[in-house]
Amino acid sequence: MSDSTNLYTFPSTSYEALAMLYTQNQDLKGKSVQEIAKIYYDAYYEFRYQTKDIKDKASKKISQKFNSVCLKL
């Protein structure tokens, strides 16, 4: 038997946190639960999949700078 305890918290990723912040800052008066959920999930998927390109480009730039610094050493 394992003695470890797994605690799952929300938000557990930066995408979830950003989507929640986005949703909280919307005018939710008069919105149904389904409409609020759609706002959240639309924001989540936008952050999750649209920011991948941005992160990839940033990662490439960091790698290029790191490599150029290492070559100078």
Side-chain angles (χ1 to χ4, degrees), residues 19-20 22-23 28 31-45:
M20 179 56 72
Y22 177 82
T23 303
L28 302 176
K31 300 270 192 233
S32 69
V33 173
Q34 292 85 358
E35 290 171 318
I36 295 170
K38 182 175 182 342
I39 291 168
Y40 171 81
Y41 283 108
D42 285 349
Y44 174 82
Y45 285 106

Side-chain angles (χ1 to χ4, degrees), residues 2-5 9 12 14 16 19 21 28 38 40 45-46 48 55 61-62 67 73:
S2 175
D3 290 334
S4 67
T5 301
T9 60
S12 61
S14 61
E16 290 175 354
L21 287 171
L28 302 176
K38 182 175 182 342
Y40 171 81
Y45 285 106
E46 187 74 18
R48 176 70 178 96
K55 287 174 71 175
K61 283 185 180 180
I62 291 169
N67 289 336
L73 297 176

Side-chain angles (χ1 to χ4, degrees), residues 4-73:
S4 67
T5 301
N6 291 326
L7 300 176
Y8 297 100
T9 60
F10 178 84
S12 61
T13 68
S14 61
Y15 304 117
E16 290 175 354
L18 288 168
M20 179 56 72
L21 287 171
Y22 177 82
T23 303
Q24 287 176 338
N25 285 298
Q26 301 306 302
D27 181 13
L28 302 176
K29 289 182 175 73
K31 300 270 192 233
S32 69
V33 173
Q34 292 85 358
E35 290 171 318
I36 295 170
K38 182 175 182 342
I39 291 168
Y40 171 81
Y41 283 108
D42 285 349
Y44 174 82
Y45 285 106
E46 187 74 18
F47 286 122
R48 176 70 178 96
Y49 296 105
Q50 297 300 323
T51 58
K52 184 178 182 327
D53 291 336
I54 295 167
K55 287 174 71 175
D56 289 345
K57 288 177 186 175
S59 179
K60 284 180 186 176
K61 283 185 180 180
I62 291 169
S63 292
Q64 289 171 348
K65 287 189 184 235
F66 178 77
N67 289 336
S68 68
V69 169
C70 288
L71 291 174
K72 291 178 184 178
L73 297 176

